[in-house]
Amino acid sequence: MKDRYGVDDFSLALGGVGVVLTLVGTIFSLQPLSYIALALLVLALVRALSKNGAARRQENDAFRRIMARIPGIGARFGGPARTSSRSSARPSGAGGATADFKRQARTAKKMWKDRKTKAFLKCPTCGQTLSVPKGKGKIIVTCPKCHTRMETRS
């Protein structure tokens, strides 16, 4: 999925409508309805695997504007656009979910290795994982990221 657009609101809607039409076409033996449903499912898949992110974003924004006008449903589409499964704050060249997973795996491995000598805690302000020596009693820890001071037992 590297450099692919991913699943957005429009793709989800196409997939949902495709599944519902497939069920209705199967239950009532309506062959043309099943073909339309198959076309919608293929379109949703092609959109998710597309590398043309700008065009897919425009399509999704147009879909969201149309859906925002519908009473009852519109409230769900009034917020910021959900364009793909990746975090939009991260630049596309930063590695995405694979880099996050590898970083989490390294952190978990390090925490497991040091579990007998260090205690791990999270900063209440920024969420940074901190390691402190075990068995020192009450200590004051300063977060290196946000400089918040906290008292904790190690």
Side-chain angles (χ1 to χ4, degrees), residues 18-28:
V19 168
V20 169
L21 289 179
T22 300
L23 290 173
V24 170
T26 303
I27 291 172
F28 296 110

Side-chain angles (χ1 to χ4, degrees), residues 6-68:
V7 179
D8 60 6
D9 291 326
F10 189 36
S11 295
L12 286 174
L14 285 173
V17 170
V19 168
V20 169
L21 289 179
T22 300
L23 290 173
V24 170
T26 303
I27 291 172
F28 296 110
S29 299
L30 300 172
Q31 197 70 16
L33 200 58
S34 296
Y35 290 135
I36 293 170
L38 181 63
L40 289 176
L41 290 171
V42 168
L43 179 62
L45 184 63
V46 167
R47 280 183 46 76
L49 296 176
S50 172
K51 287 191 174 186
N52 189 354
R56 301 297 83 81
R57 242 182 312 279
Q58 285 179 343
E59 292 168 359
N60 190 49
D61 290 342
F63 170 75
R64 289 176 61 85
R65 279 193 302 274
I66 292 169
M67 294 304 289

